[in-house]
Amino acid sequence: VTVRDALNQALDEELERDERVFLLGEEVAQYDGAYKISRGLWKKYGDKRIIDTPISEMGFTGIAVGAAMAGLRPVCEFMTFNFSMQAIDQVINSAAKTCYMSAGTIPVPIVFRGPNGASAGVAAQHSQCFAAWYGHCPGLKVVSPWSSEDAKGLLKAAIRDDNPVVMLENELLYGVPFEMSEQAQSKDFVVPIGKAKIERQGTHVTLVAHSRPVGHCLEAAAVLAKEGVECEIINLRTIRPMDIEAVEASVTKTNHLVTVEGGWPQFGVGAEVCARIMEGSAFNYLDAPAVRVTGADVPMPYAKILEDNCIPQVKDIIFAVKKTLNI
């Protein structure tokens, strides 16, 4: 099942399950969604539940947040998370802070979702990863799926959650098929927010990643396994609240840590993972300094060869692992 179809399944099931759920965003209705995530939903649920909006993120995000405060459960799609910058006041000041500022009397059950991070050939203004930006802010939950199972389970959990959830998908993963268990195909399947998943067991080094880099880590691990290095791969799934216990348990076992992400290095997700490990008991188990593999510290270039060199590749992960293990 492709990630696109998994997300479509999740939306369909939740729209059917709860009449308070509705989807709004640019081109989500008559055009079936810019990335065809909402294919068929407008025909099935009509204008009231699947709403095409003008190209005004600040406007339609404000409408969605207000609807959530009034008791509905909106899913607000950004055509890319770079455009959520137009609406960040609504996401942070209106959605994230209201429950706290109202002493818990006004919950804001809303999902902000759409593609995040670098796609292909879309240059600097469309290639930013917002995991660190939104993960920084209390009051939000932030999820970042990799596989179809992640995507379906986390979207369903996000829609059912009474807090605002930011769901950072990846455009390059939409068309990628993943195995999906029978359990994951059921209407009751959810992936709990705040729980990481061990994608591969290993003993020599812990690789921590989220979104598309999880796949790169698995590729790197397959290469390294031929050289006798067994990598344990942790798919974070959730950026906030972060499942640091899973990382600590793994580091205690492997004694080495490498973090991998597509975002910028400074104040990034990897920086947070490293800091949390250093502050906790797992630090005593490290046999070498933790290493971060990140995107390059520049706005994304347009040229393909430069773009490729700005995003963590499998070879970068292999290099970081060998550096950590001193081989």
Side-chain angles (χ1 to χ4, degrees):
V1 179
T2 62
V3 171
R4 174 182 289 113
D5 290 341
L7 289 164
N8 181 274
Q9 254 179 45
L11 283 168
D12 189 10
E13 287 168 13
E14 294 306 303
L15 283 157
E16 189 175 51
R17 177 178 169 270
D18 187 343
E19 61 188 22
R20 295 170 300 172
V21 176
F22 69 97
L23 173 69
L24 81 172
E26 294 152 6
E27 299 185 348
V28 297
Q30 294 186 29
Y31 187 67
D32 272 345
Y35 305 100
K36 304 294 176 251
I37 303 294
S38 52
R39 185 188 287 137
L41 298 180
W42 175 64
K43 283 191 178 73
K44 185 171 179 182
Y45 295 102
D47 289 329
K48 271 200 159 163
R49 307 282 302 280
I50 313 293
I51 302 168
D52 275 331
T53 63
I55 303 174
S56 170
E57 277 73 16
M58 187 188 291
F60 71 72
T61 308
I63 288 168
V65 173
M69 290 176 179
L72 297 176
R73 303 186 86 86
V75 178
C76 176
E77 177 179 310
F78 296 119
M79 202 176 279
T80 149
F81 257 93
N82 301 271
F83 301 161
S84 76
M85 292 291 90
Q86 300 287 333
I88 199 165
D89 178 53
Q90 306 286 7
V91 178
I92 303 294
N93 281 324
S94 301
K97 298 174 183 174
T98 295
C99 188
Y100 182 86
M101 291 177 75
S102 66
T105 58
I106 306 174
V108 188
I110 185 169
V111 181
F112 304 103
R113 52 157 296 273
N116 168 69
S119 179
V122 290
Q125 292 173 333
H126 295 70
S127 297
Q128 192 172 335
C129 174
F130 289 95
W133 282 56
Y134 288 117
H136 179 64
C137 183
L140 288 178
K141 292 184 178 181
V142 182
V143 298
S144 181
W146 167 60
S147 66
S148 300
E149 199 164 292
D150 292 352
K152 183 182 178 186
L154 286 169
L155 181 51
K156 286 171 75 80
I159 291 170
R160 295 179 191 192
D161 203 292
D162 286 334
N163 300 283
V165 181
V166 170
M167 180 149 170
L168 304 170
E169 300 154 14
N170 187 293
E171 187 185 330
L172 297 176
L173 287 174
Y174 282 155
V176 178
F178 288 89
E179 291 278 324
M180 256 177 113
S181 64
E182 217 165 294
Q183 177 203 1
Q185 306 262 17
S186 89
K187 290 187 176 183
D188 303 319
F189 177 73
V190 291
V191 168
I193 293 173
K195 279 273 170 264
K197 181 187 178 193
I198 297 172
E199 294 290 348
R200 186 184 197 278
Q201 298 281 353
T203 48
H204 295 125
V205 59
T206 299
L207 295 176
V208 180
H210 64 95
S211 192
R212 190 162 168 254
V214 175
H216 296 342
C217 287
L218 286 164
E219 286 178 48
V223 174
L224 286 159
K226 291 175 185 160
E227 298 179 33
V229 177
E230 291 299 332
C231 303
E232 180 144 301
I233 296 168
I234 295 182
N235 171 9
L236 277 177
R237 284 179 161 177
T238 306
I239 307 301
R240 181 182 191 106
M242 191 180 276
D243 186 2
I244 210 66
E245 293 81 11
V247 183
E248 283 179 334
S250 181
V251 168
T252 304
K253 181 169 84 173
T254 66
N255 312 114
H256 299 89
L257 173 64
V258 175
T259 67
V260 186
E261 66 189 305
W264 293 316
Q266 197 154 324
F267 314 112
V269 175
E272 176 65 19
V273 172
C274 292
R276 298 274 280 274
I277 290 300
M278 197 186 77
E279 289 165 355
S281 58
F283 176 70
N284 300 316
Y285 290 85
L286 279 177
D287 288 343
V291 173
R292 290 180 292 160
V293 179
T294 68
D297 200 17
V298 294
M300 182 62 71
Y302 173 67
K304 185 173 190 327
I305 184 132
L306 294 177
E307 180 182 73
D308 287 345
N309 282 291
C310 279
I311 301 167
Q313 305 292 338
V314 173
K315 63 177 170 41
D316 303 318
I317 300 166
I318 293 169
F319 178 80
V321 167
K322 288 185 171 180
K323 178 180 163 188
T324 308
L325 294 172
N326 201 19
I327 53 174

